Amino acid sequence: MNDIVETRWWWIRHAPVINPEGRIYGRCDLEADCGDAAIYEGLAAMLPREAHWVASPLRRTHQTAAAIHAAAQHHEGASAPLIEPDIVEQDFGEWQGLSWPELEARDEKRYHRFWLAPAHQAPPGGESFETLSVRVAGAIGRLTERHAGSDIVAVAHGGPIRAALALALGIEAERALVFAIANCSLTRLDHIADPAMPNGVWRVAMVNQLPGRFRR
């Protein structure tokens, strides 16, 4: 009897936000630009037909999910993603809404400390990437247990996807920041549970894969 259970996570970073001034947006609830239909057709072709869909509370993830669903009506049960607060983007606190030059001019010392140790520094009133990684790991653990043996499509943000990679690879949060995670890219991480390994193991199937270069 095969007791191995594989749970596949399909992480998608949301569509580009409408942010012409290039401001720090973090948890700001900005609109996404979902106008390129070919991107969502490509994503729909890459994703499993039957999956549990989750998204962060921010509208850009729901707009992205809706664009994918519109491109693939055959996605069963995909019209209403579960809102999962713990996969929301990093909270940049008082820095949200500022441009990087404005931030440097306002708080030069904290600005430079942030770039020296970006995973460990928390903006005023916000959270560090390290803190984000802890909450994302908790959500992954809960949902992996709840949907064991299934496919989970998570429409989220660059920060949480890097945190998921840190968990899968068993690396420190700081090292996960080196990953490029493009808008509308797909990262797949498989959790493999085996009675011989109580906590299971992870397999990295793809990272930052853009539509059109892969077909399931």
Side-chain angles (χ1 to χ4, degrees):
M1 181 177 178
N2 188 358
D3 293 323
I4 296 175
V5 177
E6 292 190 16
T7 307
R8 293 161 297 280
W9 279 82
W10 305 76
W11 289 92
I12 301 168
R13 187 182 177 194
H14 60 78
V17 299
I18 301 172
N19 182 25
E21 296 180 346
R23 296 189 176 275
I24 303 167
Y25 53 88
R27 290 194 190 176
C28 294
D29 203 10
L30 302 182
E31 297 277 345
D33 179 1
C34 298
D36 191 341
I39 291 175
Y40 307 102
E41 292 171 2
L43 281 170
M46 296 164 77
L47 295 170
R49 293 195 172 199
E50 296 183 29
H52 301 279
W53 283 67
V54 296
S56 90
L58 298 180
R59 77 180 74 181
R60 55 189 181 264
T61 65
H62 296 271
Q63 291 171 328
T64 304
I68 298 169
H69 301 162
Q73 297 294 337
H74 59 263
H75 282 179
E76 299 180 15
S79 59
L82 171 72
I83 296 176
E84 175 49 66
D86 284 339
I87 64 170
V88 74
E89 184 57 289
Q90 183 175 350
D91 186 351
F92 283 90
E94 296 175 14
W95 292 1
Q96 291 176 164
L98 298 175
S99 68
W100 289 106
E102 287 172 345
L103 173 59
E104 185 176 15
R106 175 183 292 194
D107 194 347
E108 184 177 1
K109 289 183 179 179
R110 193 184 293 269
Y111 171 86
H112 288 294
R113 284 202 304 271
F114 178 78
W115 289 114
L116 286 171
H120 308 289
Q121 297 293 325
E127 67 177 343
S128 68
F129 179 71
E130 194 171 46
T131 300
L132 174 152
S133 297
V134 172
R135 63 171 167 80
V136 170
I140 292 172
R142 284 188 283 104
L143 292 172
T144 298
E145 182 176 0
R146 184 182 306 168
H147 302 300
S150 302
D151 290 284
I152 303 170
V153 177
V155 188
H157 310 266
I161 296 171
R162 292 182 181 94
L165 281 163
L167 176 66
L169 293 170
I171 60 176
E172 294 181 1
E174 188 93 20
R175 295 186 63 192
L177 292 174
V178 304
F179 283 103
I181 304 295
N183 293 107
C184 297
S185 67
L186 178 63
T187 294
R188 202 186 92 197
L189 307 174
D190 303 339
H191 183 264
I192 303 168
D194 187 317
M197 298 174 289
N199 297 322
V201 296
W202 287 93
R203 176 176 60 212
V204 179
M206 70 179 76
V207 178
N208 196 39
Q209 181 71 60
L210 294 172
R213 301 179 188 174
F214 169 81
R215 290 293 182 270
R216 185 171 182 271

